[in-house]
Amino acid sequence: MSRPHGIPLPSAQRSSDSNETESACADDKQGQPRPREGVRQLTGAERVRTLVESNASVSLTLIGARDGHGSEEFGTGMPVARTVTPDGDVILLVSGESAAARAAAHAQDDDLTAVIEITDVAPVSVPHRIRGRAWLAGWLTPVRGDDRAACAALLAERHPVGELLGLGESLDAPYTGRPAWMMLRLEVGEITVDDLWGAEQVDPEDLASAEPDPVSPHEAELLQHLHSSHGDRIGELCGLLGDRGSRGMTAVPLALDRVGLRVRFTGGAAGGGSFDARFDFPDPVTDICGLRRAMRALFSAAAH
C-alpha cells in the first residue's frame, strides 16, 4: 500500500521537559554527547524498530481531535503494549474506554491522524539521561475482522502476560458493551528519530524489514548489573581511549546493542565535561552467549 506523507509531527522539535527546547539530545542545548568516532551503528530504521518493540515509554496523540479544553493535539495517554506487523504497521493495545479507542471506533479509514512518541531513558543514573526519542505519525484505525486474531498473536509474542490475558474475551462476537481492551493499527506515514546517533528521517517502508536489536530485551538489566557489580571493569576501559583517557574519570555504561557498548565518561584530571566512547565488538552479536564472549574480550583487552 502506498503511504501518503505530510502528517505533522507534534513535539518533533520539542520535549515535554521544559528545559529541552530544540532537540531530544542536542549538544548545544543540553550538553548531550554525540558520537565523534566512525563506529558501526544500527540503521535509523533498526533503531526505531528496536524502540517500538522495547519497554520505553510511549504516548499517543490524536491530531486535529479536540479535548475538553479545545486543544487540537489531544493526548490520549499511554498504550499498554505495541508491536510491528510484517507490513510495517504499528499495533497498539489501548483501553477500550480510552479517548483513542472511542475516536478510532467512529473514524472512517485514513481520517484519524495520530502520532506516537517513544522516549528512551537510560536505565542507569547518568547526566542527560534521555537517550533519544522517536516519533511515528500516521493514520489510526481499529484492528478489524480476520486481522484481529493475527494481531493479537503478534502482541502476545511481545507481551505474553498482563492485559493480554483478557484480550480473547474482546475478540469474541457478539460484543457486550465496549471491550476492556482495543487493538488499534497505526499505518505509518512519517518517522523521525533523534537519539545518541543524531536526528534523521526514516523511510516508513524500511520499518517492516528492519530487525529489532536482539540485545534490547536484556539491555536494562545488563547495564544495571555492569554499573553496580562491575564498575571497576567499566572504568578500566578508559585505558583503550589513548590520549582521551585520564585518571579520575567516572565511567558509566550508557547503552548496549549488538554492535558494541557505549560508555559515558565524566570529569578527569583535565576537568573536562562528559563524552561518550563506543567500544565495538569484533562482530555483531546475535544472542546472549555471543554478547558474553564479546564483553569478556573487551574487558580482557582493557586489562592488558
Side-chain angles (χ1 to χ4, degrees):
M1 177 184 294
S2 63
R3 300 176 189 272
H5 296 277
I7 296 178
L9 289 170
S11 304
Q13 291 300 324
R14 71 176 187 269
S15 163
S16 57
D17 298 329
S18 59
N19 63 338
E20 297 170 12
T21 58
E22 293 295 329
S23 169
C25 301
D27 303 44
D28 55 342
K29 298 297 179 181
Q30 297 174 238
Q32 178 74 278
R34 293 287 202 186
R36 305 301 184 190
E37 60 273 53
V39 296
R40 293 194 307 265
Q41 60 174 292
L42 306 182
T43 67
E46 288 172 330
R47 293 178 347 245
V48 172
R49 178 70 183 260
T50 298
L51 283 176
V52 172
E53 300 280 5
S54 74
N55 290 322
S57 64
V58 60
S59 62
L60 173 64
T61 299
L62 305 182
I63 307 301
R66 293 179 179 272
D67 61 12
H69 303 287
S71 172
E72 292 190 358
E73 289 186 7
F74 189 4
T76 64
M78 298 176 61
V80 297
R82 73 264 184 180
T83 192
V84 178
T85 71
D87 294 327
D89 297 333
V90 178
I91 303 300
L92 304 169
L93 182 66
V94 301
S95 167
E97 298 297 334
S98 67
R102 294 195 301 269
H106 295 94
Q108 300 297 317
D109 288 349
D110 294 350
D111 74 349
L112 183 61
T113 56
V115 175
I116 57 174
E117 178 177 342
I118 306 171
T119 302
D120 179 31
V121 180
V124 293
S125 180
V126 66
H128 317 302
R129 196 166 179 177
I130 295 178
R131 300 188 298 189
R133 289 189 173 93
W135 298 265
L136 297 89
W139 297 267
L140 200 65
T141 56
V143 177
R144 298 187 175 98
D146 294 341
D147 288 341
R148 292 169 64 83
C151 289
L154 283 174
L155 278 171
E157 291 179 11
R158 177 68 187 87
H159 293 271
V161 295
E163 290 81 2
L164 288 179
L165 291 176
L167 184 59
E169 299 174 3
S170 66
L171 297 178
D172 298 330
Y175 309 119
T176 57
R178 186 176 298 278
W181 302 102
M182 178 179 285
M183 289 181 294
L184 303 179
R185 180 192 305 275
L186 183 75
E187 182 186 353
V188 181
E190 199 168 331
I191 302 174
T192 298
V193 62
D194 183 8
D195 60 11
L196 295 170
W197 295 106
E200 63 180 283
Q201 299 284 115
V202 174
D203 188 338
E205 298 294 342
D206 293 336
L207 186 65
S209 59
E211 291 291 334
D213 187 77
V215 175
S216 178
H218 315 283
E219 185 201 21
E221 181 181 358
L222 290 171
L223 289 178
Q224 290 167 354
H225 176 70
L226 287 171
H227 185 45
S228 62
S229 301
H230 301 284
D232 55 338
R233 307 295 300 275
I234 298 297
E236 290 175 357
L237 294 175
C238 71
L240 300 176
L241 298 178
D243 293 340
R244 288 194 301 168
S246 64
R247 293 179 179 274
M249 288 195 304
T250 299
V252 179
L254 178 67
L256 185 64
D257 55 46
R258 63 183 173 87
V259 295
L261 171 70
R262 182 190 294 264
V263 177
R264 179 153 296 169
F265 292 93
T266 306
S274 299
F275 68 90
D276 287 2
R278 280 281 303 195
F279 300 93
D280 280 355
F281 300 143
D283 297 294
V285 302
T286 58
D287 53 31
I288 289 298
C289 291
L291 179 62
R292 291 195 183 101
R293 289 192 296 269
M295 291 298 298
R296 284 196 295 267
L298 178 61
F299 288 145
S300 176
H304 295 85

